[in-house]
Amino acid sequence: MTDHFQVKMTEKNYEADRPKAENPVKIMDLTLRDGHQSLFATRGRTEDMIPVAEMMDNIGFWAVEVWGGATFDTTHRFLNEDPWERLRTMKRYFKKTPLSMLLRAQNLVGYRNYPDDVAKAFVQRTAENGMDVFRTFDALNDFRNFETVVKEIKAADKHFQGCICYTLTEPRMGGEIYNLEFYLNKAKELENMGADTICIKDMAGLLSPYDAFELVKALKETVKPPIHLHSHFTSGMSPMTHLKAIEAGVDIIDTCMCPYAYRTSHAAIEPLVVTLYGTSRDTGFSVKALDEINQKLEADILPKYKHLLDDSKVSIIDTNVLLHQTPGGMLSNLVNQLREMDALDRINEVYDLLPKVRKDLGQVPLVTPTSQIVGIQTVNNVLFDDENESYKMTTQQVKDLCYGLYGKTAAPINPEVQKKVLKGYPRGEEPITCRPAEILEPELEKAKEDVKDLAVDLDDVLIYAIYPTTGKKFLKYKYGLEEPPESVKPKTLEQAKKEEDLVRKARAGQVVAKKKPEDEEGLRKFTVMVDDEPFEVSVEDKNPPVVAQVAQQTAQPSQAQQPMQQQAPVRQQPAASPAPPSQPAPKEKAAEEKPEPKPSPAAASADGTPIKAPMPGTVIRFEKKIGDAVNEGDTVVILEAMKMENSLTATTAGTLKSIHFKEGDSVAKNDVICTIG
Ligand code: CO
């Protein structure tokens, strides 16, 4: 325990009448962003935040995080809400407490690097719409990706919080890369960039209590800006980590209101308040006032979201984090991917190979999107490599990473792997060393032109610029040009309770599987999944809400409920120009279910070398046309599987003779996609 921290129990050590601490721990509340993003798939609606906003405003939080991360995506995509309106509304209700957002640096609130013109406009508009604190991070900790946004944050006179993504290669802080020195150097970089505060962003819950103590203590001795700790609960360590960080002098801690706490979210505020009663770091908060908010949340709000909670396991801790130092969401993605390829029995090989692949790829932090990039490449290596050749099948994202499109990796990328992966890469075989956005063409003017008949202001244009497909759709709903589907409409507390009842009955085996015509008047047919068994359910209701989704998600928790931060899909193409037609989306489980793959075309012609699908997936595009000359090793077709693009290459030289699938078609494993003759 340091000199700064004192447990001085006062005589009147109770709620209402305790002395103010000399240096209270400041608290940022994450309930309305990371809390519902981690536990409830970011589905919280503005109307469900308003009832508690003013109560929360009175607590005394340092800031409340209410925006950014996945909220920009889910509001417009799944909730038919204008993300900008969410921000303005929160600003109206939080009169005293600063608002905070999570900004993915040059990725803004999307999943690829946007060009500088879009990044500037986005930060300017966000500041003008009421944002106060810009918590900024980059998946590679390459702070060159901060340059453009930070300039704008500063120009708008707003708070720039610089994050360091906390990651490990060993069970505890240390090793060759992610040791104390690494974090101190990163903090100095941020201080030099003008960071108002510095955040240790521990998205996987890896930071152990004693490492937190050592790290925070050293940071306090090394840099001036206040230190902020963001440590997810996932592994179960975070309450202990918080306490040790407080003893070491951390300035600000992130927590959630208790109904939004624990599991993959954050520790709750209430136990921390009581823990610090009467100490030199007492928060000064009223537990009674916090509890009033909790009661309101439990009674009026949470019934609408409970079904989104992953309750597939009794345990609220993910021990895989402790075993493998990898984010929980990443591992469940790997399991899903192997299952899809009928190779779940090889999971241990994947665990064993993962550290090597991560090392080959520059020891990147394991955070979205890099966690998926490393994970899926590892699976590919386990399944497709042989003793003669490794990295036989690489994803587009691995190529982009090797080219430098995400930024600079913590350690150099294995040059042999880099060379092999970049063979025939369209942007060039020589990796870039500049700031990635420097090679991106401006996009804002084109975006303005694209939606000039639809967008009323720059905010509208930015929704489209960041999310072209779903953004455009949203703008059509917004201006009444298209009727939004039932699934995006809010539901009432009554509806929520009715659904809960239905699911409970289904689970108890009281739901009769009965086929009804879908168009029968007044009846809506749903498939309810109970323990992986599909149940057809008919509901007599003129306006049935999203029972199908609800039921599926309740019965079949899937990656759809993992925190977006960890599982957010990664069809990331930082520099793909033009932007990919559909932004990588946190897809609903339902949307992920692929259509039945078509039967293989009756065997490929006998004379030719087939290119077969090594795994089930979707044909994204062909890089060659029929009649094109093909060299051995040339990429012929791009197959998307598990939201990653995989290049299928020619194993022989020749001419592309036949193509058996169109772009967009689903293929089964071993389907012959095309033939080289
Ligand atoms: Co987080």
Side-chain angles (χ1 to χ4, degrees):
M1 199 169 292
T2 65
D3 301 340
H4 309 293
F5 184 76
Q6 288 168 22
V7 184
K8 259 194 296 192
M9 302 312 262
T10 57
E11 290 189 9
K12 291 191 173 177
N13 179 26
Y14 44 79
E15 164 90 7
D17 187 20
R18 55 191 210 268
K20 201 175 167 344
E22 45 206 86
N23 178 24
V25 175
K26 298 181 183 74
I27 303 290
M28 178 152 98
D29 179 87
L30 307 177
T31 303
L32 304 180
R33 203 287 297 176
D34 210 353
H36 75 109
Q37 179 169 328
S38 295
L39 299 187
F40 306 108
T42 334
R43 294 304 196 273
R45 286 180 181 272
T46 306
E47 63 184 41
D48 292 326
M49 300 177 177
I50 291 171
V52 289
E54 279 176 271
M55 296 164 87
M56 290 176 72
D57 195 28
N58 288 325
I59 295 296
F61 292 123
W62 177 77
V64 281
E65 191 188 54
V66 297
W67 209 68
T71 64
F72 197 92
D73 185 0
T74 49
T75 42
H76 86 276
R77 185 193 300 263
F78 297 123
L79 309 175
N80 191 26
E81 274 192 33
D82 187 329
W84 300 106
E85 190 54 44
R86 158 85 52 94
L87 172 54
R88 291 189 291 267
T89 305
M90 290 296 107
K91 192 67 185 172
R92 277 202 301 280
Y93 284 91
F94 285 99
K95 295 191 174 72
K96 295 179 272 190
T97 317
L99 300 185
S100 180
M101 76 168 290
L102 183 66
L103 180 66
R104 298 165 175 158
Q106 199 81 24
N107 284 12
L108 306 178
V109 286
Y111 304 99
R112 67 179 175 101
N113 272 337
Y114 295 93
D116 286 338
D117 61 342
V118 175
K120 281 182 199 164
F122 177 79
V123 173
Q124 287 164 5
R125 289 306 306 149
T126 303
E128 277 173 42
N129 275 292
M131 189 50 63
D132 301 295
V133 178
F134 289 75
R135 165 176 282 182
T136 310
F137 83 98
D138 174 69
L140 292 190
N141 283 321
D142 182 347
F143 297 148
R144 294 173 309 169
N145 290 328
F146 281 21
E147 282 172 20
T148 302
V149 293
V150 167
K151 213 177 280 167
E152 295 305 319
I153 297 166
K154 290 280 175 190
D157 206 17
K158 300 294 180 182
H159 185 115
F160 160 45
Q161 176 167 95
C163 291
I164 309 168
C165 292
Y166 185 80
T167 190
L168 295 173
T169 55
E170 321 279 322
R172 295 273 304 269
M173 184 169 70
E176 274 174 41
I177 311 273
Y178 297 111
N179 47 37
L180 184 60
E181 203 190 336
F182 172 87
Y183 291 109
L184 296 181
N185 286 336
K186 285 287 162 192
K188 279 187 243 169
E189 265 187 68
L190 290 174
E191 183 177 38
N192 291 336
M193 288 186 89
D196 296 297
T197 45
I198 292 173
C199 174
I200 301 297
K201 182 174 156 59
D202 173 25
M203 50 283 160
L206 295 171
L207 181 58
S208 66
Y210 291 108
D211 286 341
F213 186 89
E214 194 187 346
L215 177 58
V216 170
K217 196 164 177 295
L219 284 169
K220 291 299 293 174
E221 285 160 7
T222 310
V223 290
K224 283 198 194 73
I227 304 300
H228 193 147
L229 178 60
H230 177 88
S231 184
H232 279 258
F233 178 77
T234 322
S235 69
M237 289 192 287
S238 78
M240 298 181 276
T241 302
H242 286 167
L243 203 58
K244 293 307 292 181
I246 289 167
E247 290 179 10
V250 77
D251 297 277
I252 315 161
I253 294 252
D254 280 348
T255 60
C256 283
M257 300 299 303
C258 74
Y260 288 78
Y262 304 111
R263 299 184 186 271
T264 52
S265 180
H266 295 259
I269 177 60
E270 300 82 356
L272 187 66
V273 170
V274 176
T275 300
L276 296 175
Y277 265 4
T279 68
S280 58
R281 306 295 315 271
D282 191 332
T283 58
F285 290 179
S286 159
V287 176
K288 203 162 154 279
L290 290 166
D291 196 52
E292 279 163 19
I293 300 169
N294 290 334
Q295 286 182 31
K296 195 158 189 66
L297 288 169
E298 284 283 359
D300 301 342
I301 311 294
L302 267 307
K304 298 188 197 174
Y305 298 99
K306 234 161 52 185
H307 64 278
L308 295 166
L309 196 67
D310 178 358
D311 59 357
S312 59
K313 287 199 317 189
V314 173
S315 169
I316 62 164
I317 287 170
D318 186 344
T319 46
N320 272 317
V321 179
L322 301 171
L323 289 167
H324 304 287
Q325 288 78 53
T326 43
M330 173 182 174
L331 293 182
S332 55
N333 279 355
L334 293 181
V335 167
N336 286 341
Q337 189 193 8
L338 284 168
R339 188 180 289 131
E340 200 161 298
M341 296 188 203
D342 271 335
L344 202 50
D345 55 317
R346 304 189 71 177
I347 186 77
N348 285 329
E349 288 172 67
V350 172
Y351 287 153
D352 291 345
L353 190 65
L354 197 94
K356 185 187 174 293
V357 173
R358 187 182 179 200
K359 192 169 182 205
D360 284 342
L361 298 178
Q363 296 288 25
V364 290
L366 297 177
V367 54
T368 299
T370 43
S371 51
Q372 281 86 349
I373 296 175
V374 172
I376 288 174
Q377 190 57 49
T378 306
V379 170
N380 281 358
N381 288 7
V382 165
L383 295 185
F384 306 119
D385 287 359
D386 54 39
E387 62 266 34
N388 302 320
E389 194 185 351
S390 56
Y391 290 87
K392 267 179 110 161
M393 187 159 68
T394 48
T395 63
Q396 183 64 36
Q397 287 72 17
V398 164
K399 292 174 203 281
D400 293 342
L401 179 71
C402 287
Y403 186 66
L405 281 187
Y406 291 86
K408 190 171 183 288
T409 51
I413 294 175
N414 178 338
E416 266 171 51
V417 172
Q418 194 168 28
K419 189 153 182 267
K420 166 154 197 191
V421 161
L422 288 179
K423 189 170 173 289
Y425 184 76
R427 288 176 179 276
E429 297 189 351
E430 197 56 41
I432 55 166
T433 54
C434 63
R435 184 178 68 95
E438 260 157 47
I439 63 164
L440 301 182
E441 296 294 329
E443 289 175 17
L444 195 59
E445 289 312 312
K446 185 177 175 300
K448 282 181 186 164
E449 187 57 30
D450 287 351
V451 287
K452 66 172 192 293
D453 298 330
L454 206 51
V456 167
D457 52 23
L458 185 53
D459 293 355
D460 284 346
V461 173
L462 284 165
I463 295 175
Y464 169 78
I466 298 174
Y467 288 101
T469 311
T470 54
K472 194 169 191 174
K473 216 167 184 49
F474 167 76
L475 292 176
K476 286 182 181 164
Y477 301 156
K478 181 176 170 183
Y479 294 112
L481 298 171
E482 237 177 65
E483 182 62 25
E486 284 295 319
S487 63
V488 302
K489 293 181 181 166
K491 61 177 153 187
T492 62
L493 195 60
E494 225 170 44
Q495 284 172 325
K497 287 187 169 154
K498 206 170 184 177
E499 281 172 27
E500 210 189 328
D501 211 44
L502 174 66
V503 172
R504 200 180 305 121
K505 278 185 184 148
R507 282 187 156 170
Q510 292 164 1
V511 174
V512 186
K514 221 162 60 177
K515 291 252 175 197
K516 295 262 181 183
E518 260 177 81
D519 53 358
E520 201 175 310
E521 195 58 41
L523 280 172
R524 293 275 301 255
K525 197 178 75 177
F526 297 107
T527 303
V528 181
M529 300 295 291
V530 180
D531 298 329
D532 289 356
E533 293 287 324
F535 285 83
E536 300 291 329
V537 181
S538 295
V539 181
E540 278 184 43
D541 190 337
K542 294 285 182 210
N543 297 303
V546 286
V547 177
Q549 249 178 41
V550 170
Q552 258 177 351
Q553 294 199 345
T554 308
Q556 236 189 358
S558 71
Q559 59 193 89
Q561 284 118 61
Q562 297 300 328
M564 300 286 169
Q565 246 181 334
Q566 291 163 7
Q567 67 91 50
V570 187
R571 200 140 105 238
Q572 175 146 5
Q573 287 189 304
S577 158
S582 76
Q583 291 297 310
K587 290 174 190 165
E588 288 289 39
K589 178 68 187 165
E592 273 173 45
E593 276 165 12
K594 301 206 168 74
E596 280 297 301
K598 288 182 194 137
S600 315
S605 49
D607 53 335
T609 309
I611 294 186
K612 291 183 183 176
M615 59 187 116
T618 307
V619 174
I620 294 293
R621 65 179 176 274
F622 289 92
E623 301 274 317
K624 304 277 178 194
K625 300 189 300 292
I626 289 184
D628 279 0
V630 177
N631 292 319
E632 189 186 333
D634 280 358
T635 298
V636 178
V637 57
I638 307 286
L639 182 72
E640 190 202 67
M642 292 301 291
K643 301 167 194 157
M644 284 285 176
E645 295 184 2
N646 300 275
S647 316
L648 307 187
T649 52
T651 50
T652 178
T655 313
L656 187 60
K657 273 184 68 177
S658 57
I659 288 180
H660 308 291
F661 289 91
K662 310 189 295 302
E663 290 174 2
D665 280 352
S666 299
V667 291
K669 190 177 168 180
N670 287 331
D671 276 355
V672 175
I673 300 176
C674 50
T675 334
I676 297 167

